[in-house]
């Protein structure tokens, strides 16, 4: 068990350093290209993603759409929790890939419908992961942390570093955090996610290749989110021990 904890701590430290590392020249060029490509994407696509994000954030903070009862027994070891987390991530990756393949094969309209569906799949997974790590997702402040994980996974290099600083020492911040969403930067949250995901999903709107692209893009996006969530909750658990 000590060996596993040591492995987790090393992986966590490398992850933190990567998040806080200054953007490389290549990263800056990529961000510039990404923003340029976004100017060519139809407004209908942008609007669909923005609407999906608004609906998701409202559901996460104030609804019961994503609540879960999969909290493991108290005292479960980290290695057992993470075995369950990996199974959960794998399951959601396969679900997202299947959904992306179906909608990608259906052409433009079905691919448009994929955006809000994919957001829902991602958020449900995050709630499941939070519960498996032993956190109470009924607490508004824990839901806010879930949104930060989402934003961290799909932000630019500079944006991710800023989000990470919000998430550091979260359990100390729980004491003073207001139980409202007034301090959350919704505009940046929506923009960062839209800019990130548009490129990965744009090819899904293309005929013929849409199904394959949709399946692969969904799988990789969900996998990335799962890995980010794993490190984000490790960061809190390691500090508690």
């Amino acid at each position: 068990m000590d060996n596993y904890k040591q492995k987790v701590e090393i992986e966590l430290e490398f992850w933190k350093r990567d998040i806080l590392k200054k953007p490389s020249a290549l990263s800056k060029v990529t961000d510039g290209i990404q923003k340029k490509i976004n100017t060519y994407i139809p407004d209908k696509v942008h609007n669909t993603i923005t609407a999906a994000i608004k609906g998701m954030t409202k559901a996460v903070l104030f609804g019961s759409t994503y609540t879960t009862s999969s909290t493991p027994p108290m005292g479960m070891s980290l290695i057992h929790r993470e075995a369950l987390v990996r199974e959960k991530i794998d399951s959601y990756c396969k679900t997202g890939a299947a959904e992306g393949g179906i909608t990608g094969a259906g052409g433009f309209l079905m691919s448009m419908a994929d955006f809000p569906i994919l957001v829902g799949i991602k958020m449900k997974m995050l709630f499941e992961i939070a519960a498996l790590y032993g956190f109470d997702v009924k607490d508004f402040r824990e839901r806010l942390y879930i949104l930060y994980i989402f934003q961290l996974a799909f932000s630019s290099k500079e944006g991710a570093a800023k989000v990470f600083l919000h998430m550091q020492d979260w359990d100390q911040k729980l004491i003073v955090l207001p139980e409202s969403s007034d301090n959350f930067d919704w505009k940046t949250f929506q923009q960062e996610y839209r800019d990130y995901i548009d490129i990965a999903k744009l090819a899904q709107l293309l005929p013929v290749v849409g199904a394959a692209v949709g399946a692969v893009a969904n799988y990789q996006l969900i996998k990335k989110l799962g890995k980010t969530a794993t490190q984000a909750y490790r960061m809190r658990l390691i500090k508690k021990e």
Side-chain angles (χ1 to χ4, degrees):
M1 183 57 63
D2 289 340
N3 288 339
Y4 186 78
K5 183 183 175 184
Q6 186 177 35
K7 172 179 175 291
V8 165
E9 289 176 341
I10 292 171
E11 289 178 357
L12 181 60
E13 189 59 35
F14 274 105
W15 177 74
K16 288 180 181 179
R17 291 182 182 183
D18 184 61
I19 291 290
L20 295 174
K21 189 165 54 179
K22 291 183 178 181
S24 63
L26 178 61
S27 177
K28 291 178 179 179
V29 171
T30 302
D31 287 344
I33 294 173
Q34 189 169 337
K35 289 177 182 178
K36 184 65 176 178
I37 292 175
N38 272 320
T39 63
Y40 297 111
I41 295 174
D43 287 340
K44 183 181 286 188
V45 176
H46 284 301
N47 293 338
T48 297
I49 297 175
T50 300
I53 292 295
K54 286 181 178 179
M56 177 272 286
T57 51
K58 184 177 180 181
V60 167
L61 293 175
F62 308 114
S64 58
T65 307
Y66 303 109
T67 53
T68 177
S69 59
S70 62
T71 306
M74 294 293 292
M76 180 177 283
S77 66
L78 179 60
I79 192 170
H80 289 156
R81 287 182 190 273
E82 294 210 330
L84 294 174
V85 168
R86 285 192 294 271
E87 288 180 4
K88 191 68 67 176
I89 293 171
D90 184 60
S91 175
Y92 275 97
C93 282
K94 291 175 181 176
T95 298
E99 185 275 329
I102 293 170
T103 54
F108 182 81
L109 291 178
M110 284 191 69
S111 293
M112 289 285 287
D114 176 61
F115 289 116
I117 295 172
L118 179 62
V119 167
I121 291 172
K122 288 176 178 176
M123 294 314 304
K124 180 65 176 174
M125 181 184 73
L126 288 182
F127 270 70
E128 296 277 1
I129 290 174
L132 287 171
Y133 275 111
F135 294 96
D136 183 7
V137 294
K138 294 179 182 178
D139 187 326
F140 171 86
R141 293 162 298 183
E142 288 298 339
R143 293 179 176 215
L144 195 58
Y145 191 73
I146 285 173
L147 290 182
Y148 277 126
I149 292 173
F150 192 96
Q151 188 176 11
L152 180 64
F154 303 119
S155 286
S156 63
K157 189 68 177 175
E158 291 180 351
K162 292 178 183 178
V163 174
F164 178 80
L165 294 177
H166 280 295
M167 298 170 70
Q168 277 190 315
D169 302 315
W170 186 263
D171 291 295
Q172 280 69 47
K173 293 175 182 175
L174 283 175
I175 303 171
V176 296
L177 276 174
E179 295 193 7
S180 74
S181 59
D182 295 340
N183 293 333
F184 195 80
D185 188 350
W186 304 113
K187 184 176 180 180
T188 300
F189 179 77
Q190 293 169 21
Q191 184 66 46
E192 288 276 6
Y193 178 67
R194 193 186 73 179
D195 287 351
Y196 184 97
I197 200 173
D198 272 353
I199 306 306
K201 300 292 287 177
L202 181 61
Q204 187 177 331
L205 305 178
L206 300 175
V208 184
V209 300
V213 171
V216 173
N218 281 11
Y219 188 96
Q220 293 300 328
L221 290 168
I222 293 172
K223 186 176 181 180
K224 177 180 175 62
L225 181 60
K227 287 183 175 181
T228 302
T230 296
Q231 298 296 355
Y233 284 113
R234 281 176 169 182
M235 183 166 60
R236 293 175 66 184
L237 288 178
I238 294 298
K239 283 202 169 186
K240 283 184 176 182
E241 296 181 359

